[in-house]
Amino acid sequence: MFLLVRGWPVVSVLGLLEAKEASARERTERLRSQLAAAELEVERLVCAREMVSQVLYQPEDQASLEAVPGPDAPRATPKRGSVVPHHREGLDAGVLAPEYRRIMTVLASQTPQGGLRAKDLARMLDLELIPAKIEGLRSKLKRLVERGWAVEPAAGTFAAAAAVGPVGGP
């Protein structure tokens, strides 16, 4: 960091700047790592909360959720925290809990080609745009994909599955 000019030590400005830059880069990498760990923790907590909610509010007769109602069968009113049934032929989004039905309504009617990101969908659903709400919505979207109601055309984007017709129900 010191340069001798005519026998006198002179501080190398470039050397000091390089040292500060290296220190800032190290700090940035540490913060990125901490942020990634925090985001992963938030995602896990959201999933854990939803799983506990499902277990606590799961109907006693799980088989009744898996039965496919006929077209003339009366619909059971879904309750908040209901389990999302697997999509099958003849089953429309009316069997989903209200919050999932709202998601499917937006996906079926307002999804651009390529799908919607969770944050954009949260905005369309008038949710508060904070990480907890967006991650909760992303978790619901992933569940809809797993159960055949939605698709994920590209990582992080979601659309209604082609086999799912117009959203009906109450």
Side-chain angles (χ1 to χ4, degrees):
M1 302 262 191
F2 292 101
L3 204 59
L4 289 177
V5 176
R6 295 187 187 143
W8 292 90
V10 179
V11 176
S12 168
V13 174
L14 289 177
L16 287 174
L17 288 174
E18 286 174 358
K20 291 250 183 214
E21 179 184 350
S23 173
R25 286 184 191 278
E26 288 174 16
R27 208 169 51 251
T28 301
E29 286 305 312
R30 274 196 316 275
L31 291 172
R32 279 190 184 132
S33 175
Q34 290 173 351
L35 177 61
E39 287 176 338
L40 181 60
E41 183 179 1
V42 166
E43 187 174 333
R44 287 179 178 165
L45 289 170
V46 166
C47 290
R49 179 181 44 80
E50 288 185 352
M51 182 60 73
V52 168
S53 178
Q54 280 183 5
V55 168
L56 290 176
Y57 300 109
Q58 183 176 6
E60 289 179 25
D61 184 11
Q62 180 67 28
S64 67
L65 285 175
E66 301 296 65
V68 179
D72 298 330
R75 277 179 216 229
T77 305
K79 294 177 180 59
R80 189 169 176 83
S82 296
V83 175
V84 176
H86 288 274
H87 182 262
R88 291 179 208 54
E89 184 71 32
L91 197 60
D92 71 12
V95 301
L96 297 173
E99 64 266 24
Y100 286 96
R101 229 182 2 251
R102 280 185 64 214
I103 293 168
M104 289 305 299
T105 299
V106 173
L107 285 180
S109 64
Q110 300 181 19
T111 302
Q113 187 172 1
L116 280 170
R117 301 192 77 65
K119 186 173 185 176
D120 298 328
L121 185 58
R123 187 175 294 113
M124 295 168 114
L125 292 168
D126 293 323
L127 296 177
E128 193 175 357
L129 297 179
I130 59 173
K133 298 286 185 181
I134 295 168
E135 291 305 316
L137 177 60
R138 182 175 287 114
S139 178
K140 285 179 174 70
L141 288 163
K142 293 281 190 181
R143 185 168 297 112
L144 288 168
V145 169
E146 289 170 6
R147 306 295 167 82
W149 293 96
V151 293
E152 193 172 3
T157 61
F158 302 90
V164 176
V167 178

